[in-house]
Each structure stands twice: as structure tokens, then as C-alpha cells.
Amino acid sequence: MNNIAKLVRPNILKLSPYSTARDEAGGAEGIRVWLDANESPYGEDGINRYPDPMQKRLKGKIAEIENIHAESIFVGNGSDEAIDLMYRIFCTPGEDNAVAIAPTYGMYGVCADINDIEHRPVQLNSDFSLPVERLLAATDGHTKLLWVCSPNNPTGNAFPFEQLCELADRFRGILVVDEAYSEFNTASRKGKDLLKGRENVVVLHTLSKAYGLAGARVGLAFSTPFIVSLMNKVKYPYNVNLLSQTKALETLDSVDKIRDNIRSILAERERIGNILPLIDAIEEVYPTDANFILVKVREGRADDLYAHLKDFHIMVRNRSKTPGCAGTLRITVGTAEENDTLLETIRNFK
Ligand SMILES: *Cc1c(COP(=O)(O)O)cnc(C)c1O
């Protein structure tokens, strides 16, 4: 058994997955009449047909854009599906545990709770840097997963590549690096580079942020073909619907437009990142590698500023109750016009 197989729950390792009519067909080549899946013969744009369970066209496109083998790509109903699958594949309820940085994305903890897996949050250092030794010290023989979000939500900072390497090499379980905001991180070496020569890394990406498809629910995981095959075994057979697969393909076909949008967001991030510290109400603006900025509000008045913005019909995320983020708001970078409205409204806060 390979080292990774030893980490997998025994019931999952021996699972025979559901086999769909489309899996058994093994390809649509040459077929004229489909009478295998009890679908309706009536419908527009192919919506009467089940979607491709393995999303081959979409994976082919992603493989091209990301320069990664299609067998190393999992496509899910948002990255939230991939997060849940990690627990279901690797963690035995009531027995195993998972370590994660804190503060971070809430779903690692929620999915741990749902799956009855002990969740072990480890606070970031006070400057939001990665506590490598404390993370490793929190692991034991039952720690199957180690969660690092980079750039981290809600702090905004990305962690140095060398530290992620160190975690992957010293941890005996699966390191999951959530790079939902990867496209806004200008670092030269990122999650995908961790996969070279390692078998215990899963990198999460999503089409929800930079690609503008949050409503379509398309998340990606990059890993070894072995781990991806486990994810495919456990996922719902038709986990990504036809409309979303079609929309994702369309969007990836015009990737130049997406790159323009990313450039605009980065320019705006820079612009408002320079203006925010000049506004009286703002005590600190934290460095960001994502499409949002965490700010600390002066005199502990984050809740008041949050309410003020809401009065003026502007929603930001209140993070003032999150341990490690006391007194902060998380602000997504919008269009220049939206950002101007935000800045003006903060200026008027008394
Ligand atoms: C937004 C976000 C996601 C995206 O989740 P989807 O299910 O793909 O929409 C994943 N991880 C983090 C840290 C996020 O902030």
C-alpha cells in the first residue's frame, strides 16, 4: 500500500463507486440514440440529458490554462465540496482530527463538525504570519489533514512558499492549501508548485472569485491522480450540473477578459489600499494578496462603522468578533465607482 493509501479510511479505500449510465457508455463517440439513462427525449440545449460526470471538456480546458494533467484535476460543486470530501475520504469520525490555522475560512471547521472530526485551530502569529512549529506541534498520529488558506481569508496575506514546503515535508498527513484567491496573489511560486515531487498535497482553486462565477458553483482541486481518483469515487455522480459546466467552459474560453478584470481589481486594490490609511476612522490597513482588504477601525468602533455603512446600503464583512481580528472589517475590492462610494461613506463616519 502506498503511504497515502494508509491515510485513507478503509471503507473508502475498498468502496466500489456508483457507476452512471454515462460512465458505462465510456464516451459519446458515434452514438446516435441515447436510451440508457431514462432521460426525457424532449428538451432544449441538451438539458434533458445528464451532464458528463467527469467534466472531461471542462477539465481539458483547465488543464490547458493551468498547465496541469487532467487526471490531477477534480471539479466540484464549489470548493466547499472538495473541503467536505477531504474529511469524508481521510478522517474516521470520532477518531481522527484536523489542524487548521486561525482565523481562517469557516468551512474547514464546519465540515469537521458535520463529519464528527476534532477540529484543532492554531492561531496565526499576531502579525498574521504562519506559526509553522506550533502547527506541527498540534498534530499527532490521528491528524489526517492540515489546512492552510493562502492568501488567507480574512487576513488577506499569502504565506511564503518555503513555509508551505516545510509543512508538506514534515507533516505525515495531507496538507490542503486553499488558494481561492490565487489569481490575485502575484507571488512567483504557489500551491501548484508544491505538487511537484510530493504526494500529500491538495491545492484548492475556485471559479467563484477571480473568474466571476460564484453563482455557478464550480470549485477545483489539484492533486495526485490517486487522490483525485478518491475524490471522484466519493463525490455525487453528477456533482457539477450542465448549466454550470457550460458556463464555466464559456468563461474559460474568454480568459483574456478575466485577466483584464483581475488587472482592474489589482489596480483598485492598490488605489484604495493607499487611500484607506489616510481616513481618520481607519487605524490600520493590513497587507493583502487577495481581492479584499482587512482594516482595523480606530477606537474599537468596527461595529459602529459597519452599521454606518449598512445605513448607506453598503455591505462589508464584520470580522470584529473573530479571535485575532478584533476591531476589523473585511472589505471586498469592487469597481472604481463602488470603491469611491465606500471611501466617501467612510470619510463621512463620525
Ligand atoms: C470564497 C472561498 C472559497 C470558495 O468556495 P466556493 O465553494 O468555490 O465558492 C474557498 N475558500 C476560501 C478561503 C474562500 O474564501
Side-chain angles (χ1 to χ4, degrees), residues 84-339:
D84 190 50
L85 282 174
M86 287 295 109
Y87 288 104
R88 294 168 67 198
I89 291 167
F90 291 107
C91 301
T92 301
E95 221 173 85
D96 290 328
N97 66 72
V99 170
I101 60 169
T104 192
Y105 188 48
M107 282 303 283
Y108 318 139
V110 172
C111 288
D113 290 345
I114 291 170
N115 288 286
D116 192 20
I117 304 304
E118 185 198 343
H119 178 61
R120 299 184 173 178
V122 173
Q123 284 297 126
L124 295 175
N125 299 320
S126 58
D127 61 356
F128 299 150
S129 61
L130 202 61
V132 172
E133 295 304 327
R134 281 192 290 116
L135 281 166
L136 290 167
T139 67
D140 62 21
H142 283 289
T143 308
K144 296 294 184 68
L145 305 173
L146 173 51
W147 296 94
V148 177
C149 182
S150 178
N152 187 35
N153 179 4
T155 59
N157 56 312
F159 302 111
F161 182 73
E162 295 69 27
Q163 289 187 326
L164 299 177
C165 290
E166 190 176 354
L167 285 179
D169 293 338
R170 291 174 59 191
F171 175 48
R172 293 281 140 247
I174 308 292
L175 173 69
V176 191
V177 181
D178 185 343
E179 290 193 326
Y181 302 96
S182 176
E183 293 82 0
F184 305 105
N185 177 6
T186 53
S188 55
R189 283 189 302 171
K190 297 193 273 189
K192 264 189 315 183
D193 301 308
L194 289 167
L195 298 175
K196 292 186 191 114
R198 293 189 181 84
E199 54 178 10
N200 67 329
V201 175
V202 175
V203 177
L204 305 182
H205 276 211
T206 180
L207 302 192
S208 294
K209 307 286 158 59
Y211 286 89
L213 291 183
R217 313 302 304 124
V218 182
L220 313 175
F222 305 137
S223 188
T224 62
F226 177 64
I227 291 180
V228 168
S229 73
L230 293 167
M231 297 176 82
N232 286 333
K233 234 161 78 147
V234 178
K235 76 179 181 71
Y236 288 158
Y238 302 107
N239 59 327
V240 182
N241 72 70
L242 181 75
L243 300 176
S244 295
Q245 289 193 44
T246 306
K247 191 69 195 172
L249 265 168
E250 252 174 56
T251 304
L252 295 176
D253 275 335
S254 46
V255 76
D256 288 343
K257 182 158 161 269
I258 301 299
R259 294 201 173 111
D260 280 349
N261 293 344
I262 293 168
R263 265 192 292 276
S264 305
I265 291 166
L266 291 180
E268 276 300 295
R269 177 177 87 185
E270 164 100 10
R271 182 177 77 92
I272 65 174
N274 288 329
I275 297 173
L276 280 165
L278 307 175
I279 301 178
D280 280 345
I282 305 298
E283 178 177 327
E284 189 164 1
V285 177
Y286 297 96
T288 179
D289 300 293
N291 67 333
F292 57 83
I293 303 181
L294 189 73
V295 302
K296 186 167 203 169
V297 183
R298 228 178 263 290
E299 292 159 18
R301 294 188 66 206
D303 292 350
D304 295 339
L305 177 56
Y306 177 79
H308 169 79
L309 290 170
K310 204 167 166 203
D311 283 345
F312 286 85
H313 313 292
I314 298 172
M315 279 308 295
V316 298
R317 197 81 193 259
N318 189 347
R319 282 285 163 235
S320 66
K321 303 285 182 291
T322 305
C325 292
T328 63
L329 301 178
R330 191 194 71 192
I331 303 172
T332 307
V333 178
T335 63
E337 194 185 4
E338 290 171 331
N339 299 334

Side-chain angles (χ1 to χ4, degrees), residues 16-28:
S16 341
Y18 179 73
S19 171
T20 70
R22 292 299 180 262
D23 287 328
E24 290 179 2

